[in-house]
Amino acid sequence: MADKTAELRAILKLQPVVPVLVIDDLEAAVPLARALVAGGLKAIEITLRTPVALAAIRAVAERVEGAVVGAGTVLTRSDYKDCEDAGAQFVVSPGTTLELLQAARKSKVPMLPGAATASEVMSLREEGYSVMKFFPAEQAGGAAYLKSLSSPLAGTLFCPTGGITLAKAKDYLALPNVICVGGSWVAPTEMVEAGDWSGIEQLAREASALAD
């Protein structure tokens, strides 16, 4: 568990923002990932929300140099196995179940489990997790709520995701218990559909600069 936690921390520390992608067109996956990596966002989460998601993960893993591709919206044991087989280097879930915890124990791929309440965080800590996804961040209380957890649940780090924008990201990243944020704003649907890879690269550069 310690090795996988260290691996996950290293991935999440690559950048201040992890792009959260919903890919509808498989042909867009590789150029999109290349634009994000060129802009400084190497760790990329491709969510299992479309029929081409697993193929997109495999394509990015095999063809995009420098990319660290992860799988998001992982809900079941079979999802976990499919993502590992596709080449995902980390797995992200919106919440946590016993089935997912069991799958994570058996896999070499680290999991970023989702939590939204103090009780959920405490339960995950009992399972050995110290890095979690705070989801849905804005709807669950935002940066102020997460700040309130920093003292009673010291030692736990979060990647808040859900409703976060470039402006809001700064508030989260200023917190002592935030390792990075997840966001979809770096790859707007209209820019992906238009193939505006240079524009997406610029958005990625702006997000990457939040680390400065």
Side-chain angles (χ1 to χ4, degrees):
M1 185 68 181
D3 289 345
K4 286 192 283 190
T5 298
E7 183 180 351
L8 182 62
R9 281 177 179 248
I11 291 170
L12 299 180
K13 284 183 177 180
L14 286 172
Q15 62 215 35
V17 180
V18 175
V20 179
L21 309 179
V22 178
I23 296 180
D24 293 296
D25 178 7
L26 182 57
E27 294 301 313
V30 168
L32 171 56
R34 285 175 176 158
L36 292 168
V37 170
L41 304 183
K42 295 181 179 180
I44 298 167
E45 177 188 335
I46 297 176
T47 61
L48 300 187
R49 301 182 192 178
T50 69
V52 302
L54 286 171
I57 290 169
R58 183 174 290 106
V60 173
E62 293 176 351
R63 296 169 54 192
V64 182
E65 185 176 356
V68 180
V69 62
T73 320
V74 174
L75 305 178
T76 66
R77 188 193 311 271
S78 60
D79 284 346
Y80 209 119
K81 180 66 165 58
D82 289 343
C83 293
E84 183 174 6
D85 291 345
Q89 291 174 262
F90 64 101
V91 158
V92 186
S93 65
T96 313
T97 65
L98 289 176
E99 181 181 338
L100 277 178
L101 290 172
Q102 291 167 358
R105 288 191 202 103
K106 295 178 180 178
S107 175
K108 67 179 186 294
V109 178
M111 178 172 72
L112 179 66
T117 69
S119 294
E120 290 170 354
V121 173
M122 291 167 65
S123 294
L124 284 168
R125 282 162 59 113
E126 289 182 355
E127 295 291 335
Y129 287 89
S130 59
V131 185
M132 306 170 198
K133 171 178 178 173
F134 175 54
F135 177 83
E138 282 295 289
Q139 295 83 352
Y145 176 85
L146 201 52
K147 182 179 180 180
S148 70
L149 296 182
S150 62
S151 181
L153 297 173
T156 307
L157 292 175
F158 297 93
C159 172
T161 304
I164 299 176
T165 63
L166 179 64
K168 291 177 180 178
K170 298 175 183 178
D171 294 332
Y172 286 99
L173 292 168
L175 300 179
N177 56 343
V178 169
I179 189 169
C180 65
V181 303
S184 59
W185 83 86
V186 293
T189 300
E190 61 274 15
M191 293 178 75
V192 175
E193 291 177 348
D196 185 3
W197 311 129
S198 61
I200 288 173
E201 181 179 338
Q202 180 55 37
L203 291 178
R205 290 188 188 283
E206 293 173 0
S208 183
L210 289 170
D212 298 337

